[in-house]
Each structure stands twice: as structure tokens, then as C-alpha cells.
Amino acid sequence: MNEITHLDNFDHSDIVITSESFGILRKALFEHMGKEKAKAFLMRFGKVLGENKAKEVIDSTKPINDILGIVESITNNHVSLGHVSNVEYDIPRSNIEDNQIIFNEKAAKSKDPGKWKDSFEVKLHLKHFGIADECTCYTLSGYASGSLSVIFNQEIFVKELTCRSKGDADCTFEVNTKEYWERNSQDYLPIYDDQSILNELEITYDTLLSQKKLLERITDFHVQLTESVIEQNSIDEVVKAAYQILKVPIVIEELNGNIISKYGIDKVEYNELISNKKIIKERKHRTNVEQINNSYLMSTPIYLDDKALFTCYFVYEDMLLYDKNDYLFLERLSTVSTLCFINEKISFETTERLKINILDRLIQKQYISIDEISSQLKYITNEITDPYITLMFECSPKESTNAPIDLYEKVIQISNTLKIYSLDGLLSNYKDKIVILIFSVNKTSFQKRINQVLSHSQKIDNEYNYKVGISSVFDDLTHFHSSLEQAEQAVNLPRSQNVIQFDELGLLGTFLQGINVNDLKNTANKELGRLLDSEDRNKELLYTLYIYLINGGKLEKTMKDLSLSIGGIQYRIRKIEEIIEKDLKDFTNASYLLLIIESLISIGEIKI
């Protein structure tokens, strides 16, 4: 746009300003409105100028006989105003029908683009902003779009394809309908964005007001739940408080599906719901939203000690009740639940440490009389009554590893599990195993509950195998050490079952009652000889003997268990008979040797 000092050649409706002034205005728009808004503003500004100019020309040339002549007149005016020095673009007369330009896909692809020579906007942009990253002849594009839209009475957009402001050789453009560009281009068309800044501010205000109200609700929700935790309320009371605020059913469960707390939904109804197929609808932060038939399930993990141990759910039985912002409340409930679980964990572990201390004193006989232990137990609970029973848990990794087992963690884990199945007792670790003294044993349901405890432990910690030895029931704590020996002897036996009761050992149990360990060792050395030596070869022969004896002398079964050939088994049996100088086919010898070996295993002298 050249500087103009004489206005005689121009229509007096035009406002002509210097290019320098327009450049300053343009720069101010970019600085105060941002690139995208300034771009849209300049395009719409040019569009209005083009529309007005087209209307002036059309009004002054009625009746309209030559539509292309009007286009040429406006183009010349475009040049005379100093916008460009020349415009190269031809509209074939064959494309004009009833004073309208006909566009089609084939013509659009075959036609060469138009050119603007010496665009005034290029000079202004390079001066104020330097090299651009996109085409910048916004006003020219708008002016051409507006004038052609009026002339041909349809929405036409002149899109700049290349621009000298971004280093291209020429400023080129293509003319087509709005419909064409929307169908064939992924680019946003800012010229049609007629939303005013005032409208944007109103929308922004409404959005901010809505966000402010949401933030206030979230803050109030978080404060109320946190206060509930500070008052040392249980997780059930926290979940109830959350439900009363949101009116959304809530469920918190362990990773294995065991429900810890719920409110607003029946357990049977919830289990029926989640048994159906789930489809993930969306993910937000740590939260998943799943659709189950006509219901929604929103879930987020609850972390404790950097481990996801629980899952918190919002249940929408009618998907119309679903609110996309509820994940903000769910994640805060998850955080507050973590605090609640930490409080419970600290309280629980404090009690467990006291239990460990008491049981350790009982195991080590660090008391003057058993009444001293009984009186200390009253600090834990008033419900400690006979009969009692002693358990010994053995925990071994499924895969061989040199990493030590954290027995304290296992004690806490099993204690939690006992609580779930209504069993109470003292726990501690002893000889790399976990000792449990159970109070108030219900003989009718005890076996079932222990199986449940074992199954639960295996499920939540499937990297380990669990095995438990169970003593006989006793009524007086003075018999605890005898029961401890029984539980240890039971768990030491390499039997296939995971639960071994001392009372099921039969003759072996009777034999072990009050046995003199030194006498047993002497007898074993006499009967087994070199097989008890620590050499690997002798250990191998002892293990072969044990498997042969528990298989009742059946060579084929022993062969399968040891993965040996029948010849290999026969060779080992002959070698063993030579060492112990006994015939293993003799039932009396076989039974006696099996009793000795299992006795040594039970008291921990040998490991098979």
C-alpha cells in the first residue's frame, strides 16, 4: 500500500492510510490479540472491504451485462489502492453461467493458481516480524474473497498457497467455494470465524465461572473427607460421607475383588453388574471409565507404599447420571482413602508389633510365669480364651532366588488375612517361618477358615508357595511349646498337601511325642550310615531312598518321580542296600526306615 497524498482519483467512501500506519496497526493487532485472532480479524476486515467495493461497482454498473468486467474493475481498484502491483488470474467465460462462476473438482485441479505481485502485506510483515512460517497476505485474501462472493452471489474463499513472506518465489492463491475448501482441506478457515471478542469474553467468563464453582465443590468435598480422616473415622465412614455429598454409589475393593467398603449399592447387585462385559470408553489421568450395558463404571487405583493395592469405583447404574468431571472427585477420594488406610496401617502395625513382642517372649520363654503372658494379652483384647492352636507357615518363592524373604511383611499380610476370615491370634517369625498362636478356636469351622486364609494368601502373593503345619488343639498356654514343636514337625514334612495337621501324622506323630533328639540321631546314624553324610552323592541316594519308600517300593512310580530310567533306579537301590546293609523289599525294614527319615525331616535335622 503506497503512501497516498492526493485523493482525487479515489472514491470518497474509501479511507486511505499510509502503509506505515497500517503496518503499525497490524503489528498492534498481533501483539494484543495474538497471531490467530489477528489473522482472522485481518481476513474479515479485508472481506468487508471487498464486499463493500463490489457492491459499489455493481450499483454503478446496473444493469449488469458483463460480470467479468466487474471482476476486472474491482481488480484494477485493488491495484490502484496500492495493495498489489498486479493480479494474474483468469476466469474463463466458459465457467460463467447465469452470472455465477461454476466450480468443479476437475477444474480446480487443472487450473494454474493466481498470483499477487508486490503484496503490501509481505513488506509490512517482513519489516515488523521477519520471515514467517505461513502465508501472511490476510487482508488481500479477505478482500478478494469478499468481492468475489458478492459478485457471484455465493460463498467464495481465496486461499493463499505460497507467500514471499515465508521465502517463496511468489504470492500465489487459489479460488474456490467455501464448501470445496471445507471438504478438501483440513485447514481452519479463519475468515468465517465471526465470533467477536466480546462473545469470546462472555464464553470465557461463563467457563471460568463454571470452573470456579466446580473447584469450590471439589475443595469442599476434599475438606470434608480430610476432616473425617483427621477425626480418625474408618474407611466406611469416609465412603459414606463421600456418597452423601455426591449421591453416587461407591465401592472400594482389593485387587483380588474382595470388597473393603461400599455405599449406595447392594453387594449382590454390584457383583452382577461387574460380571458383564466391560468396554473402556475413556481414560483421564489414572482414571478409567467403562461402559457395562446401560451403566458406567469409573475407577481409579488407591496407592499404599507406592503400590496399587485397592481400586475405588463410582457406579452409575444409569449412564445419564454420569458426569465427566466426577473423575476429579474420585481421584480425591482415592487420595483421602490412602490417608485413611495409612492411619489404619499404623494402628494395625502398632498392635501387631505388640503381638510379635508377646509371642517372641512366649517362644523364647522370657517370662517368670505364664500368667505374666496372659495379663499382657489383655492389653490386646479381652476375648483371648481357650482352646488354642499353633500354626507354622512356610513361605517359599516359586522361582529360585537369592533375595531374602521379608518375613515381617508376610506377618502383616497374613495377620490382615486372618482378620478377614474372623481369626485372631499372635504372629511372629521363627526359624525362617511364621508362627501363629490362634485363640478361641472354633473346631467346627477352623479347617475351612485356614484353607481360605491359605488360598487368599496365595492369590494376593502368587510369587510364593504357602504351606502350613497345624498342631493339636490345647487348653493351657503352658502347652504352647509342645504345640510349637508339633506345628514345626508337620510343616517340615515334604508331603504334597499344603495343610498338614499333626493329628494326621498317625504313628509318626505318636513317635515324635517327647522323643529324645540325641537318641533319634544315634539311631538314624546307625540305620542309615553314610547316607546322612553331607556329600552330594549321599544326599542324592538318601532322597532316592525316601521317594522309593513313600511310593511303597514301586520302581515305576519312583522312576517317574525322579525322572530316571528303570536301570538307574535299580542301580541306586542296590547301592543303598549295600550301604545300610538291609533288604528294602522287607516291609518291616522299609517302614522303620521311612519312620526314621520322616522323623529327621520333622525335627529339622535333614531337608528333603
Side-chain angles (χ1 to χ4, degrees):
M1 186 182 291
N2 301 320
E3 293 192 14
I4 304 299
T5 56
H6 301 287
L7 306 180
D8 297 338
N9 297 328
F10 297 96
D11 189 297
H12 290 287
S13 63
D14 291 329
I15 297 176
V16 181
I17 62 174
T18 66
S19 59
E20 183 65 30
S21 299
F22 188 80
I24 293 171
L25 174 63
R26 193 175 184 276
K27 183 173 183 288
L29 289 174
F30 274 83
E31 290 175 345
H32 294 283
M33 297 175 64
K35 176 183 173 181
E36 293 303 320
K37 286 297 171 190
K39 172 182 174 180
F41 178 86
L42 290 169
M43 279 192 176
R44 292 197 301 273
F45 170 69
K47 183 172 184 272
V48 172
L49 290 179
E51 288 172 347
N52 290 338
K53 180 53 64 177
K55 289 174 184 177
E56 284 179 23
V57 173
I58 290 171
D59 288 341
S60 65
T61 57
K62 288 181 178 179
I64 302 171
N65 299 317
D66 185 7
I67 200 77
L68 291 181
I70 293 175
V71 173
E72 184 178 355
S73 176
I74 293 174
T75 301
N76 291 336
N77 181 263
H78 204 24
V79 173
S80 65
L81 286 172
H83 297 168
V84 292
S85 64
N86 189 28
V87 178
E88 297 178 3
Y89 186 72
D90 293 324
I91 302 176
R93 288 191 176 275
S94 59
N95 285 10
I96 305 297
E97 185 177 305
D98 295 330
N99 286 335
Q100 282 200 342
I101 188 168
I102 306 302
F103 290 100
N104 56 61
E105 301 284 338
K106 184 177 180 181
K109 291 178 181 177
S110 62
K111 185 165 176 54
D112 292 333
K115 288 182 184 179
W116 288 312
K117 293 291 187 180
D118 301 318
S119 165
F120 81 102
E121 281 192 279
V122 169
K123 298 172 185 176
L124 295 177
H125 196 92
L126 290 173
K127 178 179 178 180
H128 292 290
F129 301 105
I131 296 295
D133 57 2
E134 64 175 28
C135 298
T136 62
C137 296
Y138 308 127
T139 310
L140 295 187
S141 178
Y143 187 92
S145 300
S147 59
L148 291 177
S149 294
V150 170
I151 293 170
F152 294 109
N153 195 28
Q154 59 179 314
E155 287 281 10
I156 291 174
F157 178 51
V158 178
K159 181 178 181 181
E160 190 174 14
L161 304 177
T162 62
C163 186
R164 288 172 56 230
S165 66
K166 65 186 186 76
D168 296 324
D170 294 294
C171 294
T172 62
F173 61 86
E174 184 177 338
V175 180
N176 219 310
T177 61
K178 175 186 176 182
E179 181 186 4
Y180 171 85
W181 291 118
E182 289 180 338
R183 187 173 64 251
N184 294 283
S185 174
Q186 300 298 320
D187 295 338
Y188 158 64
L189 303 181
I191 195 170
Y192 298 112
D193 182 4
D194 57 358
Q195 183 171 267
S196 68
I197 294 176
L198 180 60
N199 288 338
E200 281 201 4
L201 288 174
E202 288 176 349
I203 293 171
T204 301
Y205 173 77
D206 291 341
T207 303
L208 288 174
L209 184 61
S210 174
Q211 293 294 322
K212 179 176 178 291
K213 290 180 179 178
L214 177 62
L215 182 60
E216 287 174 349
R217 281 188 64 212
I218 293 170
T219 302
D220 182 61
F221 177 76
H222 192 88
V223 167
Q224 289 190 52
L225 295 191
T226 304
E227 286 176 351
S228 182
V229 174
I230 292 172
E231 292 169 2
Q232 297 192 347
N233 289 327
S234 68
I235 188 66
D236 289 332
E237 291 168 311
V238 170
V239 168
K240 179 181 178 181
Y243 174 80
Q244 290 173 340
I245 296 170
L246 300 175
K247 305 303 180 187
V248 177
I250 302 168
V251 176
I252 294 178
E253 64 180 25
E254 291 181 291
L255 297 184
N256 62 4
N258 181 53
I259 294 177
I260 299 296
S261 181
K262 64 177 179 59
Y263 207 90
I265 188 170
D266 180 76
K267 183 177 180 180
V268 174
E269 187 180 357
Y270 171 72
N271 287 332
E272 287 179 358
L273 176 67
I274 63 173
S275 65
N276 294 310
K277 183 181 179 181
K278 302 180 185 68
I279 302 172
I280 293 182
K281 300 298 290 182
E282 57 182 317
R283 288 187 173 91
K284 295 180 179 179
H285 299 176
R286 298 176 301 169
T287 301
N288 285 337
V289 179
E290 298 170 299
Q291 183 176 347
I292 308 174
N293 296 331
N294 293 320
S295 303
Y296 276 167
L297 194 67
M298 184 183 286
S299 63
T300 199
I302 298 176
Y303 288 88
L304 200 61
D305 295 333
D306 294 326
K307 296 178 182 177
L309 299 181
F310 309 93
T311 305
C312 188
Y313 295 97
F314 281 174
V315 184
Y316 305 88
E317 295 177 90
D318 183 347
M319 63 175 61
L320 295 176
L321 300 174
Y322 167 70
D323 186 332
K324 65 179 182 179
N325 290 318
D326 277 357
Y327 79 96
L328 297 167
F329 295 91
L330 181 63
E331 290 184 357
R332 275 150 186 80
L333 175 57
S334 168
T335 301
V336 172
S337 298
T338 298
L339 295 176
C340 199
F341 283 124
I342 287 174
N343 281 347
E344 291 185 0
K345 182 173 182 283
I346 291 171
S347 175
F348 179 76
E349 289 192 4
T350 300
T351 302
E352 289 308 306
R353 280 193 287 270
L354 180 58
K355 289 181 177 181
I356 289 170
N357 180 265
I358 294 174
L359 185 55
D360 283 344
R361 292 186 62 202
L362 191 58
I363 292 172
Q364 304 299 331
K365 297 184 179 180
Q366 294 175 347
Y367 53 85
I368 297 173
S369 70
I370 202 69
D371 293 336
E372 184 181 334
I373 299 295
S374 299
S375 63
Q376 287 184 343
L377 289 174
K378 293 177 182 177
Y379 290 108
I380 301 172
T381 176
N382 292 322
E383 299 178 359
I384 297 177
T385 58
D386 61 76
Y388 309 102
I389 199 165
T390 302
L391 312 178
M392 187 169 283
F393 265 77
E394 182 179 69
C395 175
S396 57
K398 289 182 177 179
E399 296 182 4
S400 58
T401 174
N402 294 324
I405 299 173
D406 188 344
L407 284 177
Y408 177 75
E409 182 183 334
K410 301 298 179 192
V411 165
I412 299 300
Q413 173 189 310
I414 293 174
S415 182
N416 258 316
T417 307
L418 290 174
K419 188 178 177 182
I420 292 172
Y421 295 103
S422 303
L423 291 171
D424 195 13
L426 305 180
L427 292 88
S428 186
N429 58 294
Y430 174 68
K431 292 185 178 179
D432 296 328
K433 296 180 179 64
I434 297 169
V435 177
I436 307 172
L437 174 60
I438 301 290
F439 319 125
S440 312
V441 177
N442 184 327
K443 297 179 182 179
T444 305
S445 62
F446 178 75
Q447 184 64 43
K448 178 183 177 182
R449 290 182 183 180
I450 286 300
N451 286 330
Q452 290 173 327
V453 168
L454 202 64
S455 176
H456 184 91
S457 299
Q458 195 75 66
K459 187 182 295 184
I460 64 175
D461 200 2
N462 57 16
E463 294 180 359
Y464 292 86
N465 287 317
Y466 287 89
K467 181 180 176 182
V468 60
I470 305 175
S471 74
S472 301
V473 177
F474 58 102
D475 299 324
D476 193 331
L477 285 178
T478 56
H479 300 147
F480 168 73
H481 279 88
S482 296
S483 72
L484 180 63
E485 289 179 1
Q486 292 175 0
E488 183 181 8
Q489 290 164 0
V491 79
N492 280 339
L493 282 179
R495 300 283 175 88
S496 58
Q497 64 264 42
N498 292 329
V499 179
I500 304 173
Q501 297 190 52
F502 182 81
D503 291 342
E504 295 175 348
L505 299 185
L507 177 62
L508 178 61
T510 304
F511 180 70
L512 291 173
Q513 290 283 7
I515 192 171
N516 184 300
V517 175
N518 288 328
D519 288 346
L520 176 60
K521 287 181 182 180
N522 290 332
T523 301
N525 284 323
K526 179 181 176 183
E527 299 297 334
L528 297 172
R530 295 201 319 270
L531 294 182
L532 296 177
D533 291 348
S534 58
E535 293 180 11
D536 291 341
R537 176 60 179 168
N538 293 326
K539 287 181 179 179
E540 189 178 74
L541 291 174
L542 180 62
Y543 180 64
T544 301
L545 174 60
Y546 179 66
I547 297 301
Y548 176 77
L549 293 175
I550 61 174
N551 285 333
K554 296 177 181 177
L555 292 177
E556 187 174 341
K557 181 72 168 62
T558 306
M559 177 183 69
K560 290 180 179 179
D561 289 345
L562 296 178
S563 300
L564 290 172
S565 65
I566 191 70
I569 292 296
Q570 290 173 333
Y571 170 77
R572 287 190 182 185
I573 295 301
R574 287 196 301 271
K575 189 69 176 175
I576 291 167
E577 287 178 333
E578 289 175 7
I579 293 173
I580 62 176
E581 298 179 351
K582 288 181 176 62
D583 181 6
L584 294 179
K585 294 182 181 64
D586 187 306
F587 177 76
T588 303
N589 288 337
S591 301
Y592 182 51
L593 290 173
L594 180 59
L595 180 62
I596 291 174
I597 293 173
E598 290 206 320
S599 298
L600 292 174
I601 294 170
S602 296
I603 64 173
E605 282 299 312
I606 60 174
K607 289 187 177 182
I608 295 294

